[in-house]
Amino acid sequence: MFRNNYDGDTVTFSPTGRLFQVEYALEAIKQGSVTVGLRSSKHAVLVALKRNADELSSYQKKIIKCDEHLGLSLAGLAPDARVLSTYLRQQCNYSKLVFNRKLSVEKAGHLLSDKAQKNTQSYGGRPYGVGLLVVGYDNSGPHLLEFQPSGNILELYGSAIGARSQGSKTYLERVLKDFTEIEDVNELIKVGVEAIRQSLKDETLTVDNLSIAAVGKDLPFTVYDGELVRPFL
Amino acid sequence: MNHDPFSWGRPSDETYGTYNNTIASASPFPKMNTQQPIITGTSVISMKYNNGVIIAADNLGAYGSLLRFNDVERLIPVGKRTIVGVSGDVSDMQHIEQILSDLEIENNYDNSYADDEETLKPSYIFEYLSTLMYQRRSKMNPLWNAIIVAGVEDDKPFLKYVNLLGVTYSSPTLATGFGAHLAIPLLRRVIDREEDIESTNLELAEKTILESMKVLYYRDAHSSRKFSLAIIDKEQGLVFKKGLQVENMSWKFAKDIKGYGTQKV
Amino acid sequence: MTSIGTGYDLSNSVFSPDGRNFQVEYAVKAVENGATSVGIRCQDGVVFGVEKLITSPLLVPGKNRKIQTIDSHIGCVYSGLIPDGRHLVNRGRDEAASFKKIYHRPIPVDALADRLGQYVQAHTLYNSVRPFGITAIFGGVDDVKGPQLYMLEPNGSYWGYSGAATGKGRQSARAELEKLIAKHTKNIDINEDDTDNKTIQLKVRDAVKEIARIIYLAHEDNKEKEFEIEISWCSNEETQGKHKLVPKELLEEAVSFAKETLSHLEDSDDSDSDDDNNEGSATQDNEGDIVLE
């Protein structure tokens, strides 16, 4: 018989040096609907599949704007994402107010990482149960980051998190060479939409369940919902 | 109405009698912060030119009218493209110096672009300092300084001023303290408006600044002959000249000055 | 694994009857599975290197930096749980800043080691926290003692090293470090005061190449996984006492040096550098659950 005694809290290491509570938090991401992020040398794009609780309910927001140059999409516990995005908004404001400076995407990633790490080393709390794709355009160009509840942050050309995200990832890996060269933001969005299709099961993309965001040099972070996504269906 | 601020916000003596300070072993005064600077640095002068900015300040730290220290460096480099020139209280300046050094170290933490795209720009440093100065004045505890931030940003000259009141402004020529009265008219002979920056080269700008430093040494009793000068040029970067001296002086005019000391007019 | 099932290994700060704190030992396991980190103390400074596994082709090459700067003259690299490493470095930065505020000079490396050691040790004392899942190698040059290198373990103990390695490939890396340092040491007399670091003849510029070679060698057991390498240094001669990543050209030179020496090694079919690295995975099933005896 198997029994795991080492997964009760975040302050217990397993005999092999693993933190099960943190690993379970990573599982929570897979419960959320899929979201895809990708970037070229000019733009960064987010594409997300929204879910509704039932026929009559509205769709859960998947993309959150943090500043004119920065935003994120989420997979997992949406309330946790709101905590993290509010934190990023505060940090963006602080940077603007005190330094007249855009918060760099790299710095944003480190801030999230350090905040998440705290929840994994002390008793009483739990790790965040959400994965984020953070995109932004700063002084060094467009960036895409993947955030995990463990506090790990990765900078990628393309990524996908959430249910069945492996399909999108595999697709992005295959077309990596092509999409990093794309100049036109709409073309880049199309690649993102195509990627997210690889993760669909029963769903079909509609104006109601597709959410898109893009950011670039002369393009502030903009979310496209509803009728605005029709051209990409 | 009693116009003495020390009497504000307390029961009036006419109604309640004199307040007995010994009851709560209270101070007869409200809480007080800095009321005056102690060791002071005099003017900082600066101007833009077609390829950058130039800024100068002497090396004196005065204790009232006593010329107490003659090796005070009041031009603080921050990063590769900014100079912060500070006049006023020297100990407050040293505090600012530490803050700026911490700022630079922090900017290098985990910053893969620290050497170029995400380096500290003059505008970031100025925004920080002006926030700091305004915050301190709002706490009624000002840093007793007038500061000029000079640098090059996006290949354009940057020059802005902030002082102990949190007041900020910008101009193609800037000076603090006595320099605002004595040097600015001289600097404006060369650059009167924004358009004049383009037609002013480094050579002319440097000559003008040197000339102004000479006039300041002539007329400002709390100035020293020794000074530092920094140029931030968009091609050459930061050129820091230390231990310069006011040269080719002529004190002939001094004998004509009347109206001070024991002499009878 | 006599610890399992006794109940003494479920909480931090609890001694087992034979006087062990199992949670700290488990934290060490997290380190032993981490990517290899290496540090060398040279005549004129210190050098750090780390292996970065490429877990996805979508990762941006050259980004996702691992080596960090604690103070402008002190660098740090670690193996294990990377976010824990960031936590430790943040603490190091606070300590360095507070030291500077009080004493108006940069923190000496040994003073920092002491403070970080205390901080990590404190995380073994309470059941409200867990130990750090990292072993950190840090060091730099200071005015008092010149180049110094320390390695700090999850239990809070730290030692000064002339060459340190941790993570998955530590055993082969340490064997190489011993050979390298022996080769470049004039007179091995451990009783002699070596604060000037005179006995080590190796310069940082050469150590950069050696570190690349050692990391490539330590990666041999893990051959199927692709990886990048990151190297930083801190030296009075090369970086004016600042901790910096090595320039791109030097890194490329070091990598090609490493690849070249490695291919020579394979030709001659050298097999003595292989140690047993597969400890501690026997009693774990596919799900990562632990088999109870």
Side-chain angles (χ1 to χ4, degrees), chain A residues 99-100, chain B residues 82 121-128 149 153 158:
Chain A
F99 292 102
N100 184 220
Chain B
T82 313
K121 291 181 183 175
S123 66
Y124 301 165
I125 294 160
F126 178 77
E127 195 69 25
Y128 180 81
V149 178
E153 182 164 332
F158 179 98

Short mmCIF file of all heavy atoms in Angstrom, two decimals, chain A residues 99-100, chain B residues 82 121-128 149 153 158:
data_model
loop_
_atom_site.label_atom_id
_atom_site.label_comp_id
_atom_site.label_asym_id
_atom_site.label_seq_id
_atom_site.Cartn_x
_atom_site.Cartn_y
_atom_site.Cartn_z
N PHE A 99 10.22 56.67 -10.45
CA PHE A 99 11.37 56.69 -11.36
C PHE A 99 11.04 57.17 -12.77
O PHE A 99 11.93 57.23 -13.60
CB PHE A 99 12.00 55.30 -11.45
CG PHE A 99 12.64 54.85 -10.18
CD1 PHE A 99 12.02 53.95 -9.34
CD2 PHE A 99 13.89 55.34 -9.81
CE1 PHE A 99 12.62 53.54 -8.16
CE2 PHE A 99 14.50 54.94 -8.64
CZ PHE A 99 13.86 54.03 -7.81
N ASN A 100 9.76 57.42 -13.03
CA ASN A 100 9.34 57.77 -14.38
C ASN A 100 9.82 56.70 -15.38
O ASN A 100 10.34 56.99 -16.44
CB ASN A 100 9.88 59.16 -14.75
CG ASN A 100 9.40 59.61 -16.11
OD1 ASN A 100 10.13 60.19 -16.88
ND2 ASN A 100 8.16 59.31 -16.44
N THR B 82 25.20 60.18 -16.38
CA THR B 82 24.54 61.17 -15.52
C THR B 82 25.51 61.75 -14.51
O THR B 82 26.35 61.03 -13.96
CB THR B 82 23.37 60.53 -14.75
OG1 THR B 82 22.58 59.76 -15.63
CG2 THR B 82 22.51 61.59 -14.09
N LYS B 121 18.77 55.98 -16.39
CA LYS B 121 18.81 57.17 -17.24
C LYS B 121 18.70 58.42 -16.38
O LYS B 121 18.13 58.36 -15.28
CB LYS B 121 17.65 57.13 -18.23
CG LYS B 121 17.77 56.05 -19.28
CD LYS B 121 16.59 56.12 -20.22
CE LYS B 121 16.63 55.01 -21.26
NZ LYS B 121 15.43 55.00 -22.09
N PRO B 122 19.19 59.58 -16.88
CA PRO B 122 19.10 60.82 -16.11
C PRO B 122 17.66 61.11 -15.65
O PRO B 122 17.45 61.54 -14.53
CB PRO B 122 19.58 61.89 -17.09
CG PRO B 122 20.41 61.17 -18.08
CD PRO B 122 19.92 59.76 -18.14
N SER B 123 16.69 60.84 -16.52
CA SER B 123 15.30 61.16 -16.16
C SER B 123 14.82 60.30 -14.99
O SER B 123 14.04 60.77 -14.16
CB SER B 123 14.37 61.00 -17.36
OG SER B 123 14.30 59.66 -17.75
N TYR B 124 15.28 59.02 -14.92
CA TYR B 124 14.89 58.17 -13.80
C TYR B 124 15.45 58.74 -12.50
O TYR B 124 14.77 58.79 -11.46
CB TYR B 124 15.45 56.74 -13.96
CG TYR B 124 15.03 55.99 -15.21
CD1 TYR B 124 15.72 54.84 -15.59
CD2 TYR B 124 13.95 56.39 -15.97
CE1 TYR B 124 15.36 54.12 -16.71
CE2 TYR B 124 13.58 55.67 -17.10
CZ TYR B 124 14.30 54.54 -17.48
OH TYR B 124 13.95 53.84 -18.58
N ILE B 125 16.73 59.13 -12.57
CA ILE B 125 17.41 59.64 -11.38
C ILE B 125 16.78 60.94 -10.92
O ILE B 125 16.53 61.16 -9.74
CB ILE B 125 18.92 59.84 -11.67
CG1 ILE B 125 19.56 58.47 -11.93
CG2 ILE B 125 19.61 60.56 -10.54
CD1 ILE B 125 20.86 58.53 -12.67
N PHE B 126 16.45 61.80 -11.91
CA PHE B 126 15.82 63.07 -11.56
C PHE B 126 14.46 62.85 -10.92
O PHE B 126 14.13 63.47 -9.91
CB PHE B 126 15.69 63.97 -12.78
CG PHE B 126 15.01 65.26 -12.45
CD1 PHE B 126 15.71 66.25 -11.80
CD2 PHE B 126 13.68 65.45 -12.74
CE1 PHE B 126 15.08 67.44 -11.44
CE2 PHE B 126 13.04 66.63 -12.39
CZ PHE B 126 13.75 67.62 -11.74
N GLU B 127 13.66 61.96 -11.51
CA GLU B 127 12.33 61.69 -10.96
C GLU B 127 12.44 61.19 -9.53
O GLU B 127 11.68 61.61 -8.66
CB GLU B 127 11.61 60.66 -11.84
CG GLU B 127 10.12 60.56 -11.59
CD GLU B 127 9.36 61.78 -12.06
OE1 GLU B 127 9.87 62.47 -12.97
OE2 GLU B 127 8.28 62.06 -11.50
N TYR B 128 13.41 60.31 -9.31
CA TYR B 128 13.59 59.78 -7.96
C TYR B 128 13.96 60.90 -6.99
O TYR B 128 13.37 61.02 -5.91
CB TYR B 128 14.68 58.70 -7.95
CG TYR B 128 14.89 58.13 -6.58
CD1 TYR B 128 14.03 57.15 -6.09
CD2 TYR B 128 15.88 58.62 -5.74
CE1 TYR B 128 14.17 56.67 -4.80
CE2 TYR B 128 16.02 58.16 -4.45
CZ TYR B 128 15.17 57.18 -3.99
OH TYR B 128 15.29 56.71 -2.71
N VAL B 149 20.49 67.81 -12.11
CA VAL B 149 20.77 66.52 -12.73
C VAL B 149 21.11 66.78 -14.20
O VAL B 149 20.30 67.36 -14.93
CB VAL B 149 19.59 65.55 -12.61
CG1 VAL B 149 19.90 64.24 -13.32
CG2 VAL B 149 19.26 65.29 -11.15
N GLU B 153 20.36 61.59 -22.62
CA GLU B 153 19.34 60.54 -22.68
C GLU B 153 18.79 60.48 -24.10
O GLU B 153 18.40 61.51 -24.66
CB GLU B 153 18.22 60.85 -21.68
CG GLU B 153 17.16 59.80 -21.64
CD GLU B 153 16.28 59.91 -20.40
OE1 GLU B 153 16.75 60.39 -19.35
OE2 GLU B 153 15.11 59.51 -20.48
N PHE B 158 20.16 66.36 -21.28
CA PHE B 158 19.14 66.39 -20.23
C PHE B 158 19.64 67.29 -19.10
O PHE B 158 20.79 67.16 -18.66
CB PHE B 158 18.92 64.97 -19.70
CG PHE B 158 17.91 64.88 -18.58
CD1 PHE B 158 16.59 64.52 -18.84
CD2 PHE B 158 18.26 65.18 -17.26
CE1 PHE B 158 15.65 64.44 -17.81
CE2 PHE B 158 17.32 65.11 -16.23
CZ PHE B 158 16.03 64.74 -16.51
#
